[in-house]
Amino acid sequence: IQLLLQNRIKHWQKHQFGTYLLRPKDEEFPMGYCGLEYVQDTSYVDIRYGLLQSSWGAGYGFEAAKTILNLGFNELKLATIYGAVVSENTASSKVLKKIGMQPCTTVKYYEEKLDYYYIENKTV
């Protein structure tokens, strides 16, 4: 957990963007996270999000992903944003499709199939 946290902090320091904690307005504790980060040792920027199970199905994932996508295109001026989901995670696949992402490939990563998606910035 410490290494994960250190990597998130280093990413923010180096790129001035990263992953945000998500929390409902009137609640003290986070319900998840969402953000953009470079995939390690590449030039690809990946959308990342996750929610506590108690927050599933309420539209928070879509709203957070849509907001982060707008940040990536409108403020950071990124040309392309990617996303990856475990193939069996149909709910996350639906979120990526709903924000306009298109499937591009499937790979095997540590014995799991990952579906990759992408979306291009139409204004760059």
Side-chain angles (χ1 to χ4, degrees), residues 25-36:
K25 272 185 179 178
D26 300 328
E27 305 230 359
E28 183 179 348
F29 297 103
M31 67 175 158
Y33 63 90
C34 187
L36 296 168

Side-chain angles (χ1 to χ4, degrees), residues 43-60:
S43 62
Y44 299 110
V45 175
D46 193 33
I47 189 169
R48 299 168 184 219
Y49 58 89
L51 296 170
L52 295 174
Q53 190 170 357
S54 59
S55 299
W56 292 357
Y60 296 123

Side-chain angles (χ1 to χ4, degrees), residues 22-109:
L22 303 175
R23 107 181 138 71
K25 272 185 179 178
D26 300 328
E27 305 230 359
E28 183 179 348
F29 297 103
M31 67 175 158
Y33 63 90
C34 187
L36 296 168
E37 292 189 12
Y38 279 97
V39 177
Q40 188 174 4
D41 301 325
T42 74
S43 62
Y44 299 110
V45 175
D46 193 33
I47 189 169
R48 299 168 184 219
Y49 58 89
L51 296 170
L52 295 174
Q53 190 170 357
S54 59
S55 299
W56 292 357
Y60 296 123
F62 168 71
E63 288 298 326
K66 182 175 72 168
T67 300
I68 289 297
L69 189 69
N70 286 332
L71 174 109
F73 286 156
N74 298 328
E75 292 183 36
L76 301 174
K77 305 297 185 201
L78 298 172
T80 306
I81 296 173
Y82 295 87
V85 297
V86 175
S87 295
E88 292 81 27
N89 190 341
T90 56
S92 280
S93 294
K94 286 179 185 176
V95 169
L96 294 182
K97 290 175 185 174
K98 194 172 178 181
I99 64 171
M101 292 188 130
Q102 302 293 317
C104 57
T105 190
T106 299
V107 298
K108 195 170 186 180
Y109 185 73

Side-chain angles (χ1 to χ4, degrees), residues 13-29:
Q13 290 170 337
K14 182 175 182 180
H15 303 289
Q16 303 302 304
F17 68 90
T19 298
Y20 297 85
L21 287 176
L22 303 175
R23 107 181 138 71
K25 272 185 179 178
D26 300 328
E27 305 230 359
E28 183 179 348
F29 297 103

